[in-house]
Amino acid sequence: MLSKLSTVSFNGIETREVSVEVQIASGLPNFVIVGLPDKSIAESKERIRASFSHIGLALPPRRIIVNLAPSDLQKEGAHYDLPIALGILSALDVFDKIQLQEYIILGGLSLDALIAPVVGVLAAALMASSSTKGLICPSQNSNEASWAGSSLNILAAPNLISLVNHFKGTDILTSIVAPKIKIQTTQTYGDMQDIKGQYVLKRIFEIAAVGRHNVLMLGPPGAGKSMISQRLIGILPQLNPQEAIETTMIYSLSGMLPEEGLMVQRPFRSPHHSASLVSLVGGGIRAKPGEISLAHNGILFLDEFPEFSRATLEALRQPLESGVITVSRANQHITYPAKIQLIAAMNPCRCGYYGVSQKECVRAPRCAVDYQAKISGPLLDRFDIIVYVPQVAIDDLLPQKKEKLAETSAVIQQRVINAVEFRKKSKKPENTELIPETQNYLRIFAEKRNISARACTKLLNVARSIADLDFSDKIRNIHIEEAVNYRYINDFLAYNHT
């Protein structure tokens, strides 16, 4: 007696189809799973045995061999429980083998035959949809699976007996209807209106939102660096459906999806400076996504930037350039998307008051030089904007009777969206065309500062975003001059990297 059905294996967000072959043959009673299974799959034998017992079935006293093909691919995860159990039932002719071959199957099993939720259901659903197969998954993962498209036939079952009854025709499960993808966010962040003063910094973050620029803020404690970073999400354009699916797949593989099954808001990740290298870039036993990948299509905020370990900071360099992060293991390499906007904040020195009047650092400038030198030149070069954030003026903090209300995040976001749309409608989306006068200005500046090619490109990109806010097809002197002011703050840096 032989049956064959399909499940999946995950390599990053990439899914590969795995064939589950079950043979029940004569011989001494034995239950063997082959095909490079990990410990969790090896333990599925006992979960399946207990589940069958709970619904009044027993494994036959024969030799049961389960082969997970291809055999050279490492298999890991609890989602193999359900396909193996259904494969055994199919081999025993409990229901038609042909029906099961039309589905991609994944799900865990509890001892009482309930089908337990698993990670990676959206990725499996997308693969099933592309291969014109249906999907069998746990009922608790139904919302997640439904976002794969309306053409996908989804059977979301609460327990094993419901699937048995469905395929025997005694109690048919209703297919899940896919909802129409419509991104709506609920505001869980603060409003830009909460920021007192810091008008230049607000302008900088508006520019950064247009071009998704990386920003490094340097300033004393209490200047509002963390506060404004948390509000950047509120002025970014909303996720489009494709970005929402990509982000959801990462959170699905990490087991961190919200109840609605779809990431509807750009992620904001803010790991503590004690975070390890693995927690940031990803890895571990199953090479799960790290903070860099969890921030894909969103913001990675690193407060107390120099306090992160040197190795952790240097690991940022490659994903900031390529938009992906590769986790290397002994037997495989896993690549996760990491298209992030990096926002970093730091004090000018360890005590935090270098360059601050009336609170001057007692070890200046040595304290500032040693502290700022923790950030390498190549890493610093990957920031589009480097800005000094001064202390907030007392007058800006005190309530005023005739105080003019600051702009809300919604008002700023609309300007950002208009600028982004202006760039999309341009015939050259990456247009960095300069008028002749501006070309000469930039050449003189680049030669005087001896800036790198990367720094020059980033300068032009920031100027392009400023021009977009002005609805200007060409980058002009005023745009370059403003961009220069937002990158070169040597008067405030004790250790000059640029």
Side-chain angles (χ1 to χ4, degrees), residues 269-327:
R269 306 296 299 180
S270 179
H272 190 262
H273 59 75
S274 62
S276 66
L277 174 62
V278 171
S279 69
L280 195 69
V281 304
I285 297 176
R286 296 184 180 176
K288 285 191 173 182
E291 293 290 342
I292 294 178
S293 296
L294 292 173
H296 179 62
N297 288 325
I299 295 169
L300 178 65
F301 175 55
L302 301 183
D303 200 7
E304 308 297 344
F305 197 49
E307 298 295 338
F308 286 83
S309 70
R310 185 65 175 259
T312 301
L313 291 181
E314 294 305 311
L316 293 168
R317 289 162 56 176
Q318 182 256 339
L320 285 175
E321 289 293 314
S322 62
V324 297
I325 183 74
T326 300
V327 180

Side-chain angles (χ1 to χ4, degrees), residues 191-208:
D191 199 287
M192 280 288 185
Q193 196 176 41
D194 303 333
I195 307 292
K196 303 298 183 182
Q198 301 295 17
Y199 304 108
V200 174
L201 189 60
K202 291 179 185 178
R203 165 69 175 176
I204 288 171
F205 269 69
E206 182 176 340
I207 295 167

Side-chain angles (χ1 to χ4, degrees), residues 449-462:
R449 293 281 187 169
N450 192 26
I451 63 176
S452 67
R454 180 185 290 114
C456 187
T457 300
K458 290 187 176 298
L459 185 65
L460 283 172
N461 290 339
V462 173

Side-chain angles (χ1 to χ4, degrees), residues 73 98 120 124 140 186 271 276 320 380 394 440 461 474:
L73 178 66
I98 303 299
Q140 290 174 274
T186 56
S276 66
L320 285 175
L380 197 68
I394 296 299
N440 294 331
N461 290 339
K474 294 184 179 180

